[in-house]
Amino acid sequence: MEKLILKSCEIRITGIVQGVGFRPFIYKLALTHGISGWVLNDTAGVLIRAEGNRDRVDAFISGIKSGKPEIAAIDDIVITPGKFSGIAGFEIEESRLSQERSAFIPPDIALCPDCLREFFSPDDRRHLYPFITCINCGPRFSIIRDVPYDRARTSMDTFGMCDKCGSEYTGPMDRRFHAQPIACRECGPRLSLYDSRRNLVADDGPGTIAAMTKDLLYAGSIVAIKGIGGYHLAANAMDDDAVKRLRQLKGRPFKPFALMAGDINFMKTFLHISERESGLLLSMERPVVLLKEKAPLVSRLISPGLTYTGVMLPYTPFQHHLFSMDREMVLIMTSGNISEEPIAYDDDDAFARLGGIAGYFVTYNREIVAHSDDSVMFVEDSEPYFIRRSRGFVPVPFRSVKPGRHLLAMGGDLKNCFALSKEDIIIVSQHLGDLATPSGYGLFRNVLNHYRRIFDFSPEAVIADLHPGYFTGKIAADFEQAGLTRFNVQHHHAHIASVMEEHGLDENIIGIAFDGTGYGTDGTLWGSEFLVCGRRDFIRAGHFTNFPLPGGERAIHSVWKIGLSLLHDAYGRDIPLMRGEDDKTAPVMDLIEKKIHSPLTCSIGRIFDGVSAILGISREISSEAEAAMLLEEAALRAATEYKSPFIINFTDGETFHISTSSLIRYIADLMMKKIPFDEIALHFHRSIAGTAVAVAEKLRERFSLNKIALSGGVFQNRLLLRMVMGGLKEKKFEVFVNRKVPSNDGSIALGQIAIGKELINT
Ligand code: ZN
Ligand code: ZN
Ligand code: FE
C-alpha cells in the first residue's frame, strides 16, 4: 500500500516553454500521476502548482524533465515547497501577467510529421490547408507581437476561431490544445495569387494555387512566395533563362542562389549528403546546407564555378504542397530582396520592391511581425558551422558563464545582427544584413524596438565597434546622447571574444582573426590579427605587414587594384606581372604613392582578393567574398600531394610582423615559373595556414598559452579552416572556433557583449 505522505509545491520553469506544448504536456502528466493543482503561463515562463502523494509528486517532477516536448528547452526548474491546500482536479489557468517579463520566445519551426500527414490526407478537415499547424510546429517568433505568448498577442489576433478549431484549442488531450496559431479553411488565413500589379489571379481553393504556381515556374516566371520570415523569390532551377533573368533583376551577377528540393532521397541523386548534413537538412530548424554536387542537374548559373551549393528542404505547408506536384522539381528559393537589402516581409513593401522582379506573388493575409532570412550552415569535419544564423534559431538565447548587466551590442555594419544581454542570458538577433542602405538602417531601429518590447529590455550601456564611420556607431551615439554609457570595442578582439563567450572561456588565450577589414586602434585597417587576449584586454601580438588599399574600404570591388597594390608593395613600380594595361595601372600607382584614398591595411581577406587578381582569377567582383571564393575553388581543383608549406618571413620582435611582400614575391615567382594557377592557389593556402601555425607556436612559447581561438570571415574558407585547424591540432593546441554564431561579422555582437560585460564592471 502507498504510504500517504502529502506534498505540495510550486514549480517554476523557465526557458523556451511557451508556445511549444508545455501546458498540455503538464496537464497530461498531472492526470497520469494523479496530481491536483494548476499550470499557467506568465511572463517569466510556466508556473505549476502540484499537490498529491509525495511519491507521485516526485515522479511528476522527474517526468517534467524526462518527457518534455521536443521543441521545448528548459532553462531552469525551481521548486518551492508550499502548504497542502487540498485542491481538487488539475486545471490549465488563464495566462497571467507578472512583473518580470523574461519568458523566452520560441523560434519558427518546420511543419511537423503529424501535420504533414493530415495535410495530405483527403479525409482530414485541413486537407491541403496551407496554414495547418499544431503545438509542435509552425510560426512562432515571426508572428509574436508581445509576451506572454497568446493568440491575442500575435498576428493571428485578427482571426476568430471557428467552433471546431475552438474545441481543439480547449481540449486538453488534443495536439492543438492551446496551439496559438491554429486555424482551418473556415476561420484562418488564406492564400492568394496575384500578378505583379497586385491584381488577384486566384483565391485559394484546395490546392489550386500550388498547381498554378508550378505551371508558372515551369513556364519561366519568377514568383515571389510569402514564407515564414519573409518573401522568397522562386524560379525553376533547371531553367537557364529564368536564372539569368533573376540574376539581372536582383542585381546579383555572381553570388550563388539557395535551392529547395522536395525530398532528401531525390536530393541524394544529385548531391553528396553525409549523415551529419542530412541531419541538419531534416532538423526542425530547416537551414540551407552547403552541399557538394554529385551530378550536374540544375542550371550551371546557380553557383557558377563553385563546389558547394546551398540547398534546403520544404518547411511550410505550401512548400510541401508545391513540391508534391513534381518529385523532381528543384527551385531557386532566394531571399526576396534586391542586392544586399533586407528581405521583404511586409506585403505593400514586397509588391513595391519585388514587383519589378517577380511576375506573380503567392501571398496570404497574415502579418509577419518579425522577419528572418533562411539560416545557412555547412559541415566540415563532421561539425556544423553557421554562415548565417536566422530563421529556426532566432531568438533562442545563449547562457553565459558570466552574469552581467543589461547591455546592448550593436554588431558591425555588414552582415549585421545585434545582441542584448540580461543577467546571464544573451540573445543574438536575426541576421539584418548590410546596414549601409536606407532600409537597413530603418530596419535596425524597428527590430531593436521590437526586441526591447518582447524581452522587456532597457540597456544600461551600449557597445559599438571602434570604427568611426560605422552606421551602428551613429545609432550608439544616439543612445549615448540619451545618457547611456558607451563602449567601443576593437573588431577583431570582438571576433575572438565571441569564441570565448561561446565556449565559456575566461582566461588569456591566443586568438587568430583572419578577416576582411576592421578598424584598428592605430587607425589602420586590421584583418590578419594574432591576439593574445582575455575578455577585457588584448595585445596585438602579430599581423601581416600593411599595404595600401587604393580606393579605401568600401571600394573593394576592383580587386585588380588590390593585386596591383600588393605587387607595387613588393616590387615598387617595376612590377613583374599585371603589366598589360599600363594606362590603367599607372594612375592607381600614382594614388598609392601619393597616399591618396589609400588607407593602409593588413587584411587577409584583401590579400586573398589581391592574389586572386594576380593569378588572373578575378578582376572585378560583385559581391564581397567572390574573389576569395574563386581562389579557394582553384586550390580545391589542384592536385593535393603533400608539400611542406612556404613559411612567410616574419620578424620576431615584440610584435610578429609577417612580411606580406615576401608572400607576394613567392606567388609571383611561382607565376613566372609557369606553375598552373590552381597549384599556386593551393600553395598560397598552405603558406598562409603554415605561417599561422608557425606564429602560433612562437606565441605559445612566449606567453605559455595553449588555447587558441579562430574567428573572422576568412575562416568560412573551408580549405583554409581545415588546414589551420589541422596544423594547430597536430601541434597539440587546444583549438576553439565559432559554433553557435557565424565566424563572419555575425559574431561581432556576441563578442561585443562578452567584452562589454568586463568593461562595465571597471
Ligand atoms: Zn504540427
Ligand atoms: Zn477553424
Ligand atoms: Fe570581421
Side-chain angles (χ1 to χ4, degrees):
M1 228 187 88
E2 271 183 293
K3 246 174 64 192
L4 273 176
I5 301 171
L6 298 172
K7 181 169 175 176
S8 174
C9 60
E10 213 166 74
I11 306 165
R12 156 67 67 198
I13 307 175
T14 51
I16 299 177
V17 289
Q18 294 187 9
V20 292
F22 217 88
R23 286 176 303 172
F25 156 67
I26 294 296
Y27 181 86
K28 285 181 214 171
L29 196 65
L31 295 192
T32 313
H33 292 285
I35 302 295
S36 1
W38 42 257
V39 56
L40 59 81
N41 271 358
D42 62 12
T43 47
V46 164
L47 190 65
I48 302 164
R49 180 84 188 180
E51 290 195 359
N53 180 305
R54 189 183 62 190
D55 294 345
R56 291 182 177 206
V57 172
D58 291 345
F60 171 72
I61 292 170
S62 55
I64 296 175
K65 293 170 189 162
S66 60
K68 67 159 188 69
E70 197 192 338
I71 58 177
I74 294 178
D75 205 52
D76 206 4
I77 300 185
V78 179
I79 298 160
T80 321
K83 240 182 96 188
F84 189 82
S85 68
I87 337 169
F90 196 90
E91 274 177 35
I92 297 182
E93 293 204 348
E94 281 300 299
S95 297
R96 76 177 179 206
L97 291 156
S98 64
Q99 284 303 309
E100 194 198 358
R101 289 158 57 98
S102 71
F104 299 150
I105 290 175
D108 300 309
I109 293 154
L111 192 69
C112 75
D114 289 333
C115 287
L116 184 64
R117 197 173 352 92
E118 291 173 359
F119 182 74
F120 284 115
S121 306
D123 300 338
D124 195 274
R125 71 184 195 91
R126 293 191 181 84
H127 180 227
L128 302 183
Y129 176 60
F131 302 94
I132 184 171
T133 177
C134 74
I135 201 71
N136 298 314
C137 72
R140 297 288 187 276
F141 171 64
S142 60
I143 60 168
I144 292 174
R145 285 192 223 282
D146 208 344
V147 286
Y149 172 55
D150 258 328
R151 191 169 173 117
R153 280 172 283 264
T154 70
S155 58
M156 283 300 290
D157 60 350
T158 52
F159 303 96
M161 267 182 240
C162 71
D163 289 349
K164 280 182 183 159
C165 287
S167 69
E168 289 168 329
Y169 184 83
T170 49
M173 301 309 265
D174 198 282
R175 198 173 93 246
R176 295 196 167 85
F177 178 69
H178 278 248
Q180 306 305 341
I182 67 161
C184 70
R185 210 174 281 283
E186 299 285 299
C187 66
R190 293 183 72 80
L191 204 64
S192 322
L193 177 66
Y194 291 90
D195 68 14
S196 61
R197 293 213 189 106
R198 218 169 177 169
N199 300 309
L200 187 67
V201 177
D203 225 334
D204 194 25
T208 44
I209 291 183
M212 291 172 83
T213 304
K214 184 207 95 181
D215 290 343
L216 289 167
L217 290 165
Y218 279 15
S221 286
I222 295 166
V223 182
I225 301 174
K226 185 174 179 179
I228 295 291
Y231 280 81
H232 280 121
L233 287 167
N236 180 1
M238 320 282 188
D239 181 344
D240 282 349
D241 285 340
V243 183
K244 229 181 273 171
R245 206 156 7 96
L246 185 55
R247 285 213 174 277
Q248 227 163 45
L249 295 168
K250 216 172 127 80
R252 182 157 159 163
F254 169 81
K255 221 174 144 194
F257 286 125
L259 303 179
M260 186 178 277
D263 77 86
I264 190 132
N265 290 322
F266 168 60
M267 279 173 69
K268 284 178 180 163
T269 62
F270 70 103
L271 297 160
H272 292 283
I273 304 175
S274 69
E275 213 168 298
R276 195 66 199 249
E277 287 162 342
S278 129
L280 287 181
L281 286 164
L282 291 164
S283 68
M284 61 191 184
E285 293 90 358
R286 290 284 154 114
V288 172
V289 181
L290 299 188
L291 300 168
K292 214 182 223 170
E293 263 192 340
K294 193 192 272 177
L297 176 76
V298 297
S299 164
R300 297 298 88 196
L301 305 172
I302 303 269
S303 46
L306 301 177
T307 305
Y308 297 98
T309 308
V311 192
M312 64 185 146
L313 286 167
Y315 52 88
T316 71
F318 178 75
Q319 289 163 359
H320 279 286
H321 193 188
L322 184 57
F323 282 88
S324 74
M325 299 279 144
D326 177 356
R327 185 175 173 267
E328 307 209 331
M329 172 156 58
V330 185
L331 298 178
I332 291 178
M333 279 282 189
T334 182
S335 295
N337 58 8
I338 296 168
S339 202
E340 302 296 317
E341 282 183 3
I343 187 171
Y345 63 100
D346 167 82
D347 298 331
D348 293 339
D349 178 54
F351 276 97
R353 277 164 59 203
L354 309 178
I357 303 177
Y360 296 88
F361 285 71
V362 176
T363 181
Y364 56 81
N365 57 343
R366 181 179 66 205
E367 186 196 343
I368 295 173
V369 178
H371 80 288
S372 58
D373 294 81
D374 294 312
S375 295
V376 183
M377 304 182 78
F378 68 88
V379 174
E380 177 59 42
D381 198 17
S382 299
E383 296 288 352
Y385 291 84
F386 277 102
I387 291 202
R388 183 161 74 199
R389 180 183 177 272
S390 208
R391 178 188 49 76
F393 296 95
V394 169
V396 179
F398 301 124
R399 197 179 259 292
S400 177
V401 294
K402 302 208 88 181
R405 315 256 282 272
H406 287 212
L407 305 177
L408 170 65
M410 316 300 291
D413 265 20
L414 298 172
K415 297 190 173 65
N416 176 269
C417 60
F418 60 81
L420 50 94
S421 81
K422 239 181 123 164
E423 289 97 39
D424 59 348
I425 292 301
I426 302 174
I427 294 160
V428 178
S429 82
Q430 69 268 44
H431 165 87
L432 299 180
D434 188 352
L435 291 189
T437 64
S439 46
Y441 183 84
L443 188 76
F444 185 96
R445 307 282 332 204
N446 290 342
V447 176
L448 178 57
N449 285 335
H450 183 58
Y451 274 66
R452 292 181 68 170
R453 184 169 58 250
I454 62 177
F455 293 109
D456 188 28
F457 172 76
S458 48
E460 299 165 70
V462 289
I463 306 136
D465 195 279
L466 201 58
H467 202 302
Y470 268 8
F471 285 84
T472 39
K474 295 199 179 87
I475 305 172
D478 293 347
F479 280 104
E480 203 179 357
Q481 265 184 353
L484 266 67
T485 315
R486 171 186 176 171
F487 300 106
N488 292 331
V489 164
Q490 203 280 322
H491 190 88
H492 303 102
H493 186 207
H495 270 303
I496 299 303
S498 74
V499 180
M500 299 183 75
E501 181 58 53
E502 276 194 30
H503 296 273
L505 300 173
D506 188 14
E507 59 196 279
N508 283 339
I509 61 162
I510 302 168
I512 304 182
F514 278 175
D515 203 24
T517 51
Y519 198 79
T521 51
D522 61 357
T524 66
L525 300 170
W526 294 5
S528 54
E529 306 313 305
F530 293 77
L531 307 180
V532 169
C533 65
R535 286 177 176 239
R536 190 182 187 284
D537 301 297
F538 72 91
I539 307 170
R540 192 185 193 202
H543 59 91
F544 281 64
T545 52
N546 284 333
F547 56 94
L549 191 57
E553 217 179 340
R554 289 232 167 221
I556 53 169
H557 288 251
S558 300
V559 291
W560 67 272
K561 291 183 188 168
I562 304 174
L564 191 67
S565 172
L566 287 168
L567 287 171
H568 181 272
D569 178 52
Y571 297 97
R573 283 253 167 183
D574 194 20
I575 55 173
L577 297 158
M578 294 182 82
R579 302 222 47 156
E581 299 171 82
D582 284 350
D583 55 327
K584 281 195 181 147
T585 54
V588 177
M589 293 206 251
D590 287 346
L591 281 186
I592 291 168
E593 285 168 5
K594 290 178 188 153
K595 300 187 167 69
I596 301 167
H597 294 305
S598 300
L600 293 176
T601 187
C602 66
S603 155
I604 283 267
R606 297 298 85 85
I607 293 177
F608 268 80
D609 288 345
V611 167
S612 185
I614 293 170
L615 297 187
I617 295 170
S618 300
R619 190 174 162 77
E620 295 279 346
I621 57 169
S622 61
S623 64
E624 197 206 350
E626 186 176 325
M629 280 163 86
L630 292 174
L631 188 62
E632 180 190 2
E633 288 297 334
L636 288 170
R637 281 192 301 267
T640 49
E641 93 285 4
Y642 181 77
K643 183 177 179 295
S644 54
F646 167 72
I647 303 297
I648 307 161
N649 307 338
F650 56 86
T651 61
D652 194 345
E654 188 159 334
T655 310
F656 293 102
H657 292 275
I658 305 159
S659 168
T660 304
S661 60
S662 88
L663 169 67
I664 296 306
R665 275 193 292 269
Y666 164 66
I667 296 298
D669 282 348
L670 294 173
M671 286 283 283
M672 286 179 287
K673 282 183 199 149
K674 302 273 184 251
I675 307 284
F677 71 81
D678 288 359
E679 298 282 323
I680 303 178
L682 182 61
H683 291 323
F684 169 75
H685 278 77
R686 280 194 176 134
S687 167
I688 300 275
T691 306
V693 175
V695 172
E697 286 190 276
K698 292 277 182 191
L699 292 173
R700 167 162 69 185
E701 224 171 273
R702 183 176 294 176
F703 294 93
S704 306
L705 298 170
N706 196 46
K707 289 186 178 159
I708 188 160
L710 310 178
S711 187
V714 173
F715 281 116
Q716 299 205 319
N717 177 322
R718 292 161 77 155
L719 183 62
L720 189 74
L721 176 69
R722 201 181 301 156
M723 287 174 165
V724 175
M725 284 258 272
L728 290 171
K729 283 183 177 166
E730 208 179 284
K731 300 288 181 194
K732 304 277 182 272
F733 279 95
E734 223 183 312
V735 189
F736 299 87
V737 290
N738 289 114
R739 277 282 146 66
K740 297 176 182 164
V741 294
S743 70
N744 61 32
D745 284 6
S747 65
I748 291 296
L750 183 63
Q752 288 174 342
I753 290 280
I755 299 167
K757 281 185 179 185
E758 306 297 318
L759 295 175
I760 198 167
N761 288 327
T762 44

